[in-house]
Amino acid sequence: MASEPEQVRDEAGAQVADGPFTTRQLLRLDEALRIADQQTGLTFSVYIGELEVPTREHAERLHRQIEGADRAVLVALSPNQRRLEIVTGNEARKRISDRDAKLAGLSMAASFAGGDLAGGVVSGIDQLASHAGRH
């Protein structure tokens, strides 16, 4: 049975507490998102939950719902489906290449395989923000 999707931070910035993370892990994720946003001037978001097939198209639909989607980066993760999608808007893509996103994805996947879901997401956000550079 699929669990309800969890958005670590919704559009209003509120944390959603139901899901695979402890409160401490949610705080780490929120802090990583906040720092990435501040340092880069981009908007970083995380979606964790089931993705409709085809997963890339679903992730792109979710990305378009983000305010200022051109400057947004979405990490969409479905642990049950073993799928990870990183979607960048047009402006964000100028600063984070597909190669950079793939490298961050591989790093996250290695952490996930080791059982560290929250740590993998935090690390991936940090890597993506580093590639984007400061604004």
Side-chain angles (χ1 to χ4, degrees), residues 15 17 21-32 118 122:
Q15 291 180 2
F21 300 121
T22 65
T23 300
R24 184 168 187 233
Q25 289 171 324
L26 283 172
L27 291 171
R28 282 181 53 214
L29 286 167
D30 190 61
E31 178 76 0
V122 168

Side-chain angles (χ1 to χ4, degrees), residues 36-86:
D37 289 357
Q38 286 178 344
Q39 288 180 347
T40 65
L42 301 174
T43 301
F44 285 79
S45 297
V46 174
Y47 170 89
I48 299 174
E50 294 298 308
L51 291 166
E52 296 169 10
V53 178
T55 57
R56 181 66 187 185
E57 289 178 17
H58 186 202
E60 288 172 351
R61 281 196 313 274
L62 291 170
H63 180 267
R64 285 191 296 271
Q65 295 174 12
I66 300 169
E67 186 176 330
D70 276 351
R71 300 188 54 77
V73 178
L74 172 67
V75 175
L77 174 65
S78 176
N80 293 339
Q81 293 167 292
R82 302 178 78 80
R83 295 294 301 179
L84 170 66
E85 301 286 351
I86 299 172

Side-chain angles (χ1 to χ4, degrees), residues 3-6 16-22 26 48:
S3 62
E4 288 294 311
E6 174 182 342
V16 178
D18 291 340
F21 300 121
T22 65
L26 283 172
I48 299 174

